[in-house]
């Protein structure tokens, strides 16, 4: 049988080391749109080596699509290394800033959530208060759902940043 | 260390890279560059349209295996190169393109003749650069030539603002490149090669299916050795033609949409498919779920992303085709496949490649067959896109690699004539013929002036059916004969036009005139000669597997 059998859709966290130069991000993002790959989130920052940036990219697709994403990323000249963190043990965090209404019931629920999730109040106004939450991707999703029940006024979220637990080779 | 302007640095770097020809056309943003080119030791060919320049560079690159070089100006000059660059990207042709850009401090201001060229060409180049400081130029040019020619080749573009080409720079040309993100795998994995050899030796019904990768890696000799050592049948893609000689007894012709019936049947019923430097394009596979249903697949390619992209592969081998074949050839021997061959011979006898011959009128296939027989199988043949391209692939039997120049991946009408010009520059003494259609030829007909001015004896065989023939064929077969916008009203008198440019021209309206016209064209040595073959208008290309269908839906000549 020559054709690929369909496989289930999986979420993947990729850690991509790239040259720290202008235009590199557009190469990476352009690749995803040109080939119809999905980007769920993306975060970029300089690394311990100032000439290299790390892009942490969350994507999803079936096994063949994920394979193609990794191969096509590797083909970009400015991409130095592609690591599929989902295949190993890793640490990940996402950041979320959320404005909520300053009402007793809301405050009470937030206090309860604070016992389960890593969050704190960073701004407290008479009508509105603001939470910051730093959590794993999984927990951040759960917290987001819980906060939605309370009525989110405004929200800003980052994509995931992640590192492998392995020591660097 | 010599001090020079950025523009001079470009010219100096080109000389170090052994550039023979630059194809281009000047404009404001690249005037400094053209001023420096005025003193260059290599030749600068002025074209009539920048698309022509890119296809010429492609023709040069494909026929020689060396990178082609193009220079165009900013804005419209650069956007005119886009089709050619996309073509080179799809067919993995090594090119270095320099586009002038507006002064660096004006970039982003919608300056006169500004276009975001690195943005536009990002998805159609292997890599591109915007050079903002002339001190980077030597490194960037060195990298550009390296990237264009190593791993899977492709076009690399350098966007050069005019102030940067005027900036003074200390010129030292690097001997080596160090690009952290580019380390192509050249040597195939020995364990995988061993597995492939075993799979081949166990095959009862093998087929070797090869593409442009064999030509690009210069592996035609190794391929022939594999074919002859094993005795396995071999089929080529459009891009792979010339990988084995067109008349080789173990060659089944082209496969795919307009491939031979027996090549497609062999692939369909084989138990082992050895894919070499080919990428399972949809024009080859048709309906993927029905493609090659019984076979185990070995796939050799230098580009890891080409492997397992479209089909599931049992033994993938990433590496340079030539190197891998050299290893593989040591581990294979004669296969005992007489039964398989008699099955294939049966299909060959049942459905040979054929056309209706006619005593009077000119059949396009006949014209191409005679071109091959008279001009010879060692000519360089370029084609445009359409029916004539498929007939050229079917009936022009070539003796070797780097002789068939055709736009396979992008299917660019307008490719053929400039590509032939580029090849003729590279090989002034070899017979070079462009087989084109009355539609395609008019897409870069202006390059007639370039060919005449440079006294190039390119032969132009216009297969003139007064239609956008391939479109008409699809409309006849799948759109109920509704010839919407495919009849070519207003065609010029191509012979008179050729003469107006200072070229030769001759018209053929009867079968009996075919040979004489070809011999006449053959005798012209100092300028182009066009043959206007007035062929049967509504001829169709057969066999045909309709788009997205499988062997079961194959339509052969009635
Ligand atoms: C630039 C471009 N435009 C449109 C097409 C679509 N197309 C494919 S074949 C064809 C007809 C080509 O006609 P002609 O060059 O006369 O060749 P024929 O098929 O008649 O041999 C067309 C329009 C194309 N391949 N390229």
């Amino acid at each position: 049988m020559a054709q690929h059998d369909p496989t289930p859709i999986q979420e993947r966290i990729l850690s991509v080391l790239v040259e720290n130069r202008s235009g590199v991000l557009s190469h990476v993002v352009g690749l995803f749109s040109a080939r119809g790959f999905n980007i769920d989130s993306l975060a970029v920052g300089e690394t311990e080596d100032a000439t290299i940036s790390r892009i942490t990219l969350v994507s999803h697709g079936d096994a063949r699509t994920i394979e193609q994403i990794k191969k096509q990323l590797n083909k970009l000249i400015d991409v130095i290394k592609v690591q599929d963190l989902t295949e190993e043990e890793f640490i990940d965090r996402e950041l979320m800033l959320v404005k909520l209404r300053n009402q007793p019931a809301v405050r009470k629920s937030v206090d309860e959530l604070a016992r389960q999730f890593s969050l704190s109040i960073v701004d407290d106004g008479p009508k509105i208060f603001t939470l910051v939450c730093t959590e794993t991707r999984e927990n951040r999703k759960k917290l987001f759902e819980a906060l939605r029940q309370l009525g989110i006024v405004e929200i800003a979220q980052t994509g995931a940043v992640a590192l492998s637990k392995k020591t660097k080779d | 260390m010599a001090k020079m302007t950025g523009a001079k640095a470009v010219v100096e770097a080109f000389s170090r890279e052994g550039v023979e020809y630059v194809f281009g056309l000047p404009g404001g943003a690249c005037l400094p560059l053209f001023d420096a080119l005025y003193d260059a030791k290599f030749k600068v060919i002025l074209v009539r349209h920048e698309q022509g320049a890119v296809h010429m560079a492609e023709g040069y690159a494909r026929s020689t295996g060396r990178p082609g070089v193009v220079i165009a100006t900013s804005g419209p000059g650069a956007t005119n190169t886009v089709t050619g660059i996309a073509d080179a990207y799809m067919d993995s042709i090594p090119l270095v393109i320099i586009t002038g850009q507006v002064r660096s401090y004006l970039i982003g201001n919608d300056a006169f003749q500004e276009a975001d060229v690195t943005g536009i060409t990002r998805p159609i180049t292997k890599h591109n650069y915007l050079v903002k400081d002339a001190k980077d130029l030597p490194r960037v040019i060195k990298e550009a030539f390296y990237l264009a020619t190593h791993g899977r080749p492709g076009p690399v573009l350098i966007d050069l603002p005019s102030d940067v080409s005027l900036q003074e720079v200390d010129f030292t040309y690097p001997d080596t490149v160090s690009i952290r993100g580019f380390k192509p795998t050249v040597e195939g994995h020995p364990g995988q090669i061993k597995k492939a050899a075993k799979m081949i030796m166990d095959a009862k019904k093998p087929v070797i299916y090869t593409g442009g990768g064999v030509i690009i890696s210069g592996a035609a000799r190794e391929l022939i050795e594999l074919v002859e050592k094993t005795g396995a049948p071999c089929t080529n893609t459009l891009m792979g033609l010339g990988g084995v000689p067109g008349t080789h007894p173990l060659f089944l012709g082209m496969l795919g949409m307009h491939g031979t019936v027996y090549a497609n049947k062999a692939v369909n019923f084989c138990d082992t498919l050895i894919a070499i430097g080919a990428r399972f394009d949809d024009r080859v596979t048709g309906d993927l779920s029905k493609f090659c249903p019984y076979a185990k697949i070995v796939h050799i390619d230098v580009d890891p992303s080409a492997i397992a992209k479209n089909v599931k592969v049992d033994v993938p081998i990433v590496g340079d085709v030539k190197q891998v074949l050299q290893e593989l050839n040591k581990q294979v021997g004669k296969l005992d496949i007489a039964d398989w061959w008699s099955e294939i011979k049966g299909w060959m006898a049942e459905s040979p490649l054929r056309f209706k011959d006619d005593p009077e009128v000119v059949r396009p296939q006949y014209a191409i067959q005679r071109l091959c027989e008279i001009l010879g199988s060692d000519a360089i043949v370029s084609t445009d896109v359409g029916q004539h391209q498929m007939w050229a692939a079917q009936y022009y039997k070539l003796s070797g690699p780097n002789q068939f120049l055709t736009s396979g991946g992008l299917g660019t009408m307008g490719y053929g004539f400039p590509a032939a010009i580029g090849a003729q520059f590279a090989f002034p003494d070899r017979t070079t013929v462009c087989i084109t259609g009355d539609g395609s030829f008019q897409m870069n007909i202006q390059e007639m002036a370039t060919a005449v001015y440079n006294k190039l004896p390119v032969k132009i065989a216009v297969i003139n059916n007064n239609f956008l023939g391939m479109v008409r064929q699809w409309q006849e077969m799948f759109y109920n004969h509704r010839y919407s916008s495919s009849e070519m009203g207003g065609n010029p008198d191509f012979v008179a036009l050729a003469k107006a440019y200072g070229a030769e021209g001759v018209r053929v309206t009867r079968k009996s005139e075919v040979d004489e016209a070809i011999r006449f064209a053959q005798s012209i040595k100092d300028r182009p000669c066009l043959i206007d073959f007035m062929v049967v208008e509504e001829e169709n290309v057969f066999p045909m597997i309709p788009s997205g269908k499988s062997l079961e839906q194959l339509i052969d000549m009635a």
Side-chain angles (χ1 to χ4, degrees), chain A residues 121-149:
Chain A
I121 294 168
V122 283
D123 189 44
D124 209 351
K127 287 192 176 147
I128 299 283
F129 71 107
T130 308
L131 295 179
V132 61
C133 151
T134 320
E135 263 299 354
T136 62
R137 185 168 171 77
E138 281 306 302
N139 281 346
R140 197 269 310 148
K141 282 190 208 159
K142 286 183 200 150
L143 181 60
F144 178 66
E145 281 313 313
L147 291 173
R148 205 142 65 173
Q149 308 298 316

Side-chain angles (χ1 to χ4, degrees), chain A residues 45-56:
Chain A
E46 201 175 286
T47 63
E48 65 282 2
D49 176 345
T51 67
I52 297 179
S53 297
R54 184 187 302 277
I55 300 179
T56 310

Side-chain angles (χ1 to χ4, degrees), chain B residues 52-361:
Chain B
V54 185
H55 295 322
M56 283 179 209
E58 286 187 276
Y60 173 88
R62 267 211 229 184
S63 58
T64 62
R66 293 196 294 273
V69 181
V70 173
I71 300 183
T73 192
S74 68
T79 53
N80 272 351
T81 65
V82 167
T83 302
I85 295 173
D87 189 88
Y89 185 67
M90 289 289 270
D91 285 346
S92 310
I93 311 296
L95 297 184
V96 173
I97 305 108
I98 298 198
T99 46
Q101 181 54 281
V102 301
R103 277 165 285 175
S104 49
Y105 54 86
L106 289 176
I107 291 177
N109 285 353
D110 300 322
F112 177 64
Q113 293 195 326
E114 180 182 356
D116 173 9
V117 174
T118 48
I120 291 170
T121 59
R122 186 204 54 74
I124 53 169
T125 49
K126 186 166 171 186
H127 195 50
N128 64 23
Y129 298 88
L130 171 61
V131 180
K132 291 181 178 154
D133 190 329
K135 78 171 178 352
D136 296 334
L137 263 175
R139 174 185 59 85
V140 165
I141 296 176
K142 179 84 192 171
E143 286 183 7
F145 278 91
Y146 185 84
L147 289 171
T149 51
H150 287 73
R152 180 173 177 169
V156 178
L157 180 138
I158 303 169
D159 203 23
L160 183 60
S162 58
D163 56 330
V164 178
S165 51
L166 290 169
Q167 196 189 332
E168 287 275 319
V169 55
D170 283 325
F171 185 88
T172 358
Y173 202 58
D175 292 325
T176 52
V177 297
S178 99
I179 310 168
R180 292 185 279 202
F182 184 67
K183 301 262 180 311
T185 310
V186 175
E187 268 172 62
H189 189 282
Q192 291 295 95
I193 295 178
K194 208 166 150 189
K195 265 197 222 164
K198 174 154 185 349
M199 193 179 279
I200 294 169
M201 292 313 293
D202 288 344
K204 300 277 169 294
K205 301 178 169 195
V207 170
I208 299 171
Y209 142 62
T210 82
V214 169
I215 315 285
I216 290 167
S217 105
R221 199 184 316 148
E222 287 74 12
L223 171 62
I224 295 169
E225 190 184 331
L226 176 70
V227 171
E228 290 178 350
K229 244 180 141 171
T230 56
C234 180
T235 174
N236 293 160
T237 68
L238 182 68
M239 295 300 294
L241 289 173
V244 290
T247 51
H248 196 287
L250 303 178
F251 183 53
L252 304 182
M254 184 170 73
L255 83 166
M257 181 179 279
H258 292 295
T260 61
V261 174
Y262 39 95
N264 283 316
K265 283 201 170 159
V267 167
N268 189 69
F269 293 107
C270 72
D271 67 357
T272 308
L273 185 72
I274 305 125
I276 309 174
R279 61 191 176 89
F280 296 88
D281 174 85
D282 54 275
R283 283 287 183 270
V284 161
T285 63
D287 181 355
L288 266 178
S289 69
K290 306 238 169 77
F291 177 72
C292 206
Y294 315 110
K296 289 192 175 141
I297 299 179
V298 176
H299 190 181
I300 306 169
D301 204 289
V302 74
D303 178 2
S305 75
I307 291 180
K309 183 173 64 182
N310 299 333
V311 300
K312 224 164 71 185
V313 170
D314 299 279
V315 183
I317 305 177
V318 177
D320 175 59
V321 165
K322 190 186 181 89
Q323 297 229 8
V324 173
L325 287 187
Q326 279 168 351
E327 284 311 306
L328 187 63
N329 282 340
K330 291 180 196 158
Q331 302 177 35
V332 295
K334 193 82 171 173
L335 298 174
D336 180 13
I337 50 170
D339 289 350
W340 177 226
W341 265 113
S342 60
E343 206 172 337
I344 294 172
K345 292 262 160 67
W347 296 325
M348 284 174 151
E350 198 176 274
S351 334
L353 199 56
R354 62 196 195 277
F355 58 89
K356 271 201 209 82
D357 209 358
D358 206 294
E360 291 289 323
V361 294

Side-chain angles (χ1 to χ4, degrees), chain B residues 385-388 411-413 437-440 443 465 467-471:
Chain B
V385 174
Q387 294 183 308
H388 65 275
T412 311
M413 288 171 69
D438 49 307
S440 296
M443 289 212 184
N465 51 16
F467 273 104
L468 295 168
M470 189 57 97
V471 171

